[in-house]
Amino acid sequence: GIFSESQMEFRDTFNWVIGNQSIKIGGEWRREKNGNSLVGGARPLYSFVGLWNLANDAPIFYSINADPTSGGPATGEREYSSNNFAFFVQDDWKFRPNLTVNLGLRWEYFSPLSDKSGQQSNIFLGPRGVVDAQVRLVDKLYESDWNNFAPQIGFAWNPKMLDSKLVIRGGGGIGYDRLASALFSNVRFAPPNS
């Protein structure tokens, strides 16, 4: 194969201190490109159990990644890309000298995998399920999800009775993560192009 992967990322945070509060506002953008060409899948693959099978030309397994329109080797060349966006606001509030409360909200968007070559396909189930399913070319592998709002809350408490020898911290929130594009980039070998 010919492997070509790149990633660009830009992020920035603005800090603003107002009295006993520290407010952070920030954002980030990440673009990932996967231009791997898995042309090695277009070569025949033969697997033999031993020398006798090889001598008799009797492989136990063989395969080739072929272009169904021509019967020739499939290209396997795709240029997949995805974009990730995030914005957040966080307030660290020193509510008392021994108690700090953290509140925050983060929004994230993970764009679906897209293919610049226009050869990405997906399966669409019909009214009877797999029986009348169709494989069609698509711009996006799956639908966009714009609803990734992640609230966060936390605290740090230093009980006075323990003479500043203990800090109790806690918090919770919702977090989102993108699906790794490696899970989906094997779609380059899906019908109707392979």
Side-chain angles (χ1 to χ4, degrees):
I2 300 169
F3 302 103
S4 171
E5 298 179 10
S6 62
Q7 176 177 317
M8 291 185 300
E9 183 171 344
F10 299 96
R11 62 173 63 194
D12 200 5
T13 303
F14 174 74
N15 294 313
W16 187 19
V17 178
I18 307 169
N20 61 352
Q21 294 188 41
S22 173
I23 298 172
K24 295 180 182 180
I25 301 170
E28 64 183 67
W29 170 72
R30 179 185 305 128
R31 178 160 179 84
E32 295 183 345
K33 294 177 104 181
N34 178 331
N36 293 348
S37 171
L38 301 179
V39 294
R43 295 179 307 195
L45 170 67
Y46 298 97
S47 297
F48 298 93
V49 173
L51 289 175
W52 186 249
N53 291 103
L54 176 64
N56 286 319
D57 193 24
I60 61 165
F61 173 80
Y62 60 93
S63 71
I64 186 170
N65 186 21
D67 182 343
T69 58
S70 67
T75 173
E77 291 182 32
R78 306 288 187 272
E79 190 174 318
Y80 293 117
S81 63
S82 65
N83 290 296
N84 303 332
F85 299 98
F87 299 100
F88 71 89
V89 61
Q90 177 180 329
D91 184 7
D92 296 333
W93 180 24
K94 193 150 182 96
F95 185 68
R96 295 196 171 163
N98 66 336
L99 176 63
T100 302
V101 178
N102 314 97
L103 298 171
L105 181 65
R106 182 177 176 93
W107 173 82
E108 294 181 283
Y109 172 71
F110 306 104
S111 73
L113 197 62
S114 61
D115 176 22
K116 186 177 179 181
S117 69
Q119 299 180 64
Q120 183 171 250
S121 64
N122 205 345
I123 188 167
F124 295 89
L125 299 177
R128 297 183 297 156
V130 178
V131 175
D132 51 355
Q134 295 179 352
V135 174
R136 295 188 293 232
L137 295 176
V138 294
D139 292 330
K140 302 185 295 186
L141 196 56
Y142 49 87
E143 292 300 318
S144 301
D145 182 6
W146 296 88
N147 299 316
N148 295 334
F149 290 95
Q152 312 281 325
I153 188 168
F155 70 92
W157 178 49
N158 181 354
K160 288 184 180 183
M161 63 188 144
L162 297 174
D163 197 29
S164 300
K165 294 184 181 181
L166 175 72
V167 177
I168 299 171
R169 300 176 190 272
I174 296 173
Y176 293 93
D177 197 2
R178 68 179 180 88
L179 296 169
S181 58
L183 295 172
F184 300 107
S185 60
N186 285 328
V187 76
R188 75 185 70 211
F189 297 120
N193 304 305
S194 270

